[in-house]
Amino acid sequence: MYQKSDTNPEELVKLYESLKVDRDNMYSIWEECRFYFNSEKQLMQPNNSGSKQIEQSTPLNPVGYDASMRFASGLFSNTYSAGDQFFSFKVSQAQLGDNEDQMKDWAIDAAKTCMDRITSTNFAITAYDMMLSYSRLNTGVMYFEWNRDKGLVFREIPVTDCCLAEDSEGYVNIVIREFELTNRQAYQKWGEACHPSVKEEAKDVDKSNKKIKYLHFVTPRKDYKSDSMNKMDMPFKSCYVNLEKKHLVEEGGYSYFPYATPRFLHNKQMPYGRGQSFTALDVMRVLTKMGENIDDGVELKVNPPIFAFGNVEEEDIDLQPGGFNHFGVDSKIEHYQAAIDLPAADAREIRKEQEVRNLFFNDVFITIEGEAALKNVTATAIDFLRAERIQALLPIVNRLYDEFYSPLLKGVLQILVENGEIPPPPSIDIKNLRVEFSTKLDQKLKLQDSQQILQSLMEVQQIYTQMTESTDLKHLINVDEIARDLFRNKNVSPKYIKSEDETNESRSAEAQAMQAQQNQQMMMEKVGQADPLRKPEAGSMVDKLGEL
C-alpha cells in the first residue's frame, strides 16, 4: 500500500509530456534502425508520433543485423565475463584516513561479493539484450533493483519506451518509463490504491483485460534526508501514475539511481545517443535498392522478355521478366538480352556491406583477436588497423564504463549494503568510490601496447646498429629524432620516452662511468706489473728496510 504524499500527479504528467516531445522526434529514426538492424522488425509496434511506416515487403540485406549483432557480442564478451573479476573499487589516498588497511580490505571483499551476486542473477542475459539495443539505437536502458523474493533483478528497457532528461553534467538523472497493464493486473499489483474505475473494471469480466497505460517516474528528490532509510526520504523519487486518469497509485524512493543508460555518442542537444547505426542508414538504404536491382537483373537473365511475330504498339512493350511481345511482322523469336554487369554490381554490394561492418567496428574486434583471424593481411597492415581503429573505439568503451558499468556496480553495491549482504564501508560514502576495470578488452589492449613497444625497440635497435656501422650516416642523420618519431608513430606512450635533456644526462653519466672504469683498469694494470714475491735489488730502499 502506498504512503500518501504531496506529489501532484498532474505535474508529473506535464513533465512527461514535455520530455515526450524530444523522444518522439527520435522515434522515426529509431523505427528505421529497427527495420534495418533487427530481425524482429515485423514486431515493431506502430506509434502515434506520425512517422512514416516502412514498406514491410522490402527485401533486406542481412548485413545490418549481422554487423550490429557482432558489435554487441564483441563489446559484451570483451567487457564482461562471468567468473572473472573484471572490476575493483578504489578509494583515493586522501579519503582513506586512518583506516587505510581496513578500507582496502573492505573494498576487495565488497567487489568479490558484488561479482558473485551479479553472476548468480539474470545480469548476463539482460546486459547482452541491452547491448543489442545500444548497438542498434545508440542508447541502452537497464533497470535494476532488489526484489524481496528474488534478490538482485535486472531488466532491459527499450529506449523507445522511455523519456530521458539529464543533470547539469550531462548524466541521465530522470527516466520516465511507459508500460501497459490490464485492469486485472493493476488491481493485483496496487489493490485499493488504484483509481476507482480500474477497481470497478477489474471485477468486470468484459473489462478486466482492458489495457491502461501507466508511467513510472524516477526523478531526483529535492528534500531528501541522507540519514533516513524511509523510501519517502531517499535521494530519488519513484512514482507510478495512471496516465489516463492522472492518478498516483504508488510513491516510493531509491537511495541510488536505478537505471544505467549508456549512450554510444552524445551531444548537448538531446539526452539520447547518436552513433554508428544512424550513420549506417544511408548505406543500408543504398544496399536495399541495390539488392532490388540485382534481383531484377538476375531474373531478367534467367527469364528474359520474348519478342515474337506480330504487331504491337511501342508503348505496350513489356520488358518485365518473362514478358511476351509481338514486335514486327518479319521478326524472329528472340530473347531480350539485358545489358547488366552482375559481377560489377555484386562487387559494389560487397564493398558497401564492408562499409557497414566497419561502421560497427567489426574489423576492430577481428584485429583484437589476433593476426590469425585475418587472412592475406600483412603484420604492418594489422598494426595500422589496430592503432587507427582502436583509437576510434576507445572513447566509446570509456563512455560505456562511465555511463553503464560504473553506476550499475555502485548501485548494486549500495543495494547489497542496504540488504545486509555486505557490511557498510568503514569510513567513506559509497558514492565517493571509484570503479576501476580490468576487462578482457583492457587486457588485450595492454598486451597490444606491449607488443607495439617490443616491435618499436627492435626497429630502433636496427637503426642504431646501422649507424654504428656507417660513420658517414652518423654525421648526417639525427638518429635520436628518428627513434622518437618511430615511437610516436607506433603509439608508444610518451611517459616511456626520455626527453632530449634526460637522454643527454644519461649519456653523460654513462660516459663518466665508463671513464672511471677505464681509469680503474689502468691502475690495476700498473699494480699488476709489480711482483710482490721478487727479491728486492741489493742496496735499494726496500733492501735496506729489510735489513733493519
Side-chain angles (χ1 to χ4, degrees), residues 300-301 304-305 307 334-340:
L300 281 173
K301 289 283 189 181
F307 290 84
E334 297 181 3
H335 290 88
Y336 175 72
Q337 300 299 319
I340 299 172

Side-chain angles (χ1 to χ4, degrees), residues 221 228-234 236-237 251-254:
R221 193 190 300 274
S228 173
M229 291 302 294
N230 189 319
K231 288 185 176 293
M232 302 296 286
D233 298 328
M234 290 184 172
F236 291 96
K237 179 190 294 188
E251 181 174 355
Y254 302 93

Side-chain angles (χ1 to χ4, degrees), residues 277-540:
S277 65
F278 293 175
T279 307
L281 282 177
D282 284 340
V283 187
M284 290 304 302
R285 295 181 191 115
V286 171
L287 278 170
T288 300
K289 186 63 178 177
M290 287 176 62
E292 293 176 354
N293 293 338
I294 290 173
D295 288 347
D296 289 344
V298 170
E299 198 170 355
L300 281 173
K301 289 283 189 181
V302 173
N303 187 21
I306 297 174
F307 290 84
F309 300 106
N311 292 317
V312 68
E313 298 295 331
E314 186 172 341
E315 59 271 15
D316 294 333
I317 293 177
D318 181 7
L319 295 181
Q320 295 295 318
F324 192 87
N325 300 281
H326 296 280
F327 193 78
V329 293
D330 298 325
S331 62
K332 300 177 181 178
I333 297 178
E334 297 181 3
H335 290 88
Y336 175 72
Q337 300 299 319
I340 299 172
D341 190 346
L342 290 177
D346 287 339
R348 183 166 181 257
E349 185 178 38
I350 291 172
R351 290 196 300 272
K352 287 294 182 182
E353 288 176 349
Q354 190 58 46
E355 285 184 36
V356 175
R357 296 192 184 281
N358 289 347
L359 284 169
F360 281 96
F361 294 92
N362 289 181
D363 55 332
V364 176
F365 290 109
I366 291 176
T367 59
I368 288 175
E369 292 302 326
E371 299 179 16
L374 292 171
K375 297 180 180 179
N376 303 321
V377 181
T378 65
T380 303
I382 291 174
D383 288 339
F384 177 78
L385 276 172
R386 283 175 176 161
E388 181 184 36
R389 299 291 287 144
I390 287 176
Q391 289 301 316
L393 180 62
L394 283 179
I396 295 162
V397 174
N398 289 335
R399 180 176 286 279
L400 184 69
Y401 288 158
D402 187 47
E403 295 187 342
F404 177 63
Y405 282 113
S406 285
L408 183 140
L409 292 170
K410 290 167 76 172
V412 167
L413 177 58
Q414 182 75 40
I415 291 173
L416 295 179
V417 168
E418 290 175 0
N419 288 277
E421 299 281 317
I422 296 176
S427 60
I428 191 174
D429 190 327
I430 289 174
K431 299 182 183 67
N432 296 325
L433 288 173
R434 185 177 75 257
V435 184
E436 288 190 359
F437 298 94
S438 55
T439 63
K440 289 182 179 179
L441 183 59
D442 290 311
Q443 294 167 7
K444 289 174 182 177
L445 293 177
K446 289 175 183 176
L447 176 61
Q448 179 181 306
D449 288 342
S450 300
Q451 292 171 341
Q452 288 280 80
I453 292 172
L454 181 60
Q455 183 179 352
S456 301
L457 289 173
M458 294 172 62
E459 293 180 9
V460 169
Q461 182 61 41
Q462 290 177 358
I463 294 173
Y464 278 105
T465 301
Q466 185 68 31
M467 294 296 294
T468 58
E469 296 174 355
S470 175
T471 55
D472 291 336
L473 283 176
K474 183 166 59 178
H475 297 301
L476 176 64
I477 295 176
N478 187 337
V479 67
D480 289 345
E481 288 303 315
I482 292 177
R484 287 192 176 90
D485 283 345
L486 190 147
F487 283 132
R488 281 193 290 266
N489 293 337
K490 290 288 187 179
N491 294 309
V492 176
S493 174
K495 69 181 180 181
Y496 300 133
I497 305 172
K498 291 182 177 180
S499 67
E500 186 174 349
D501 290 341
E502 290 173 327
T503 302
N504 292 334
E505 290 176 5
S506 177
R507 283 175 175 161
S508 177
E510 183 181 18
Q512 292 175 9
M514 290 180 64
Q515 185 64 46
Q517 185 178 5
Q518 289 175 0
N519 293 340
Q520 185 179 9
Q521 183 67 29
M522 291 172 62
M523 181 65 69
M524 293 297 294
E525 289 175 356
K526 289 180 179 180
V527 172
Q529 292 175 1
D531 186 356
L533 301 178
R534 187 176 64 183
K535 186 177 180 179
E537 294 181 6
S540 67

Side-chain angles (χ1 to χ4, degrees), residues 18-27 269-272:
S18 66
L19 297 182
K20 185 174 179 290
V21 174
D22 283 344
R23 195 277 307 273
D24 286 349
N25 287 337
M26 298 294 298
Y27 206 96
Q269 281 68 41
M270 275 194 181
Y272 304 98

